[in-house]
Amino acid sequence: RDYSKTPEFAAVLYDRLGTSYYLAGQCEKALQTFDRALKYTPNNHAVLNNYAYLCIECLKDAQKALQPARLAVQLQPTRAEYLDTLALVLISAKQYAEGLEYADRAAKLGDSAPVQLHRAMALLELGRTEQAREAARKAGDLNPDPPTKASLEQLLPRLK
């Protein structure tokens, strides 16, 4: 269908459809759907953030995720979840110090288990093991969802 007269509706529709595909384990379809959403609304901060996250989770492609993650933060600089996505992208790109900066900003605005997990990852890579342990402990205390809990369990052996 042509949604050129209702681009915001298209963005919401494709954002929800893409999220559904992702949750169903259909990463390729999810990414294609977010690509469509971005064609209608290239500056939609929610779509940009979700697309960047999928580039990391599905493609393991930090370079592809970097521009949309940065733009989402530029458009909405006080959204903790966007700051956290950018932190994850930067950590995935081995830019640990900058990733930690964004994770710290996210923690100040809206702390969560994923934010603390990403802080722990960056801190560990920066050689700050004791602080990484504390961030991982805090992530565990913040009632992590199953994927965050699994990531924490994978990280724990490196924190000993």
Side-chain angles (χ1 to χ4, degrees), residues 24-40:
Q26 298 180 35
C27 279
E28 187 175 325
K29 283 186 177 183
L31 285 161
Q32 290 169 353
T33 303
F34 277 97
D35 279 333
R36 279 190 223 138
L38 288 170
K39 285 181 180 142
Y40 286 104

Side-chain angles (χ1 to χ4, degrees), residues 124 129-130 132-133 136 152-160:
L124 182 63
T129 307
E130 189 55 42
R133 279 189 205 110
L152 273 170
E153 289 172 4
Q154 288 179 341
L155 186 64
L156 288 176
R158 295 187 56 211
L159 294 172
K160 293 184 179 186

Side-chain angles (χ1 to χ4, degrees), residues 6 24 27 30-31 33 50 54 66 73-74 81 92 97 103 108 141 143 145 158:
T6 56
C27 279
L31 285 161
T33 303
N50 291 339
L54 288 181
L66 195 54
V73 167
Q74 181 182 353
E81 64 272 27
S92 298
K108 287 177 185 169
D141 290 346
N143 194 27
D145 60 15
R158 295 187 56 211

Side-chain angles (χ1 to χ4, degrees), residues 19-106:
T19 300
S20 296
Y21 282 136
Y22 170 70
L23 293 173
Q26 298 180 35
C27 279
E28 187 175 325
K29 283 186 177 183
L31 285 161
Q32 290 169 353
T33 303
F34 277 97
D35 279 333
R36 279 190 223 138
L38 288 170
K39 285 181 180 142
Y40 286 104
T41 57
N43 290 323
N44 182 300
H45 54 86
V47 174
L48 287 160
N49 182 69
N50 291 339
Y51 180 76
Y53 181 80
L54 288 181
C55 287
I56 294 298
E57 288 298 310
C58 295
L59 300 176
K60 311 294 186 225
D61 189 341
Q63 293 311 310
K64 189 170 186 170
L66 195 54
Q67 187 274 336
R70 284 195 189 280
L71 183 53
V73 167
Q74 181 182 353
L75 294 168
Q76 293 287 315
T78 59
R79 294 284 298 262
E81 64 272 27
Y82 297 1
L83 294 165
D84 183 47
T85 298
L86 181 54
L88 176 61
V89 169
L90 290 163
I91 292 163
S92 298
K94 299 185 183 342
Q95 297 177 32
Y96 306 117
E98 188 178 5
L100 179 60
E101 288 175 28
Y102 281 98
D104 285 345
R105 284 176 53 190

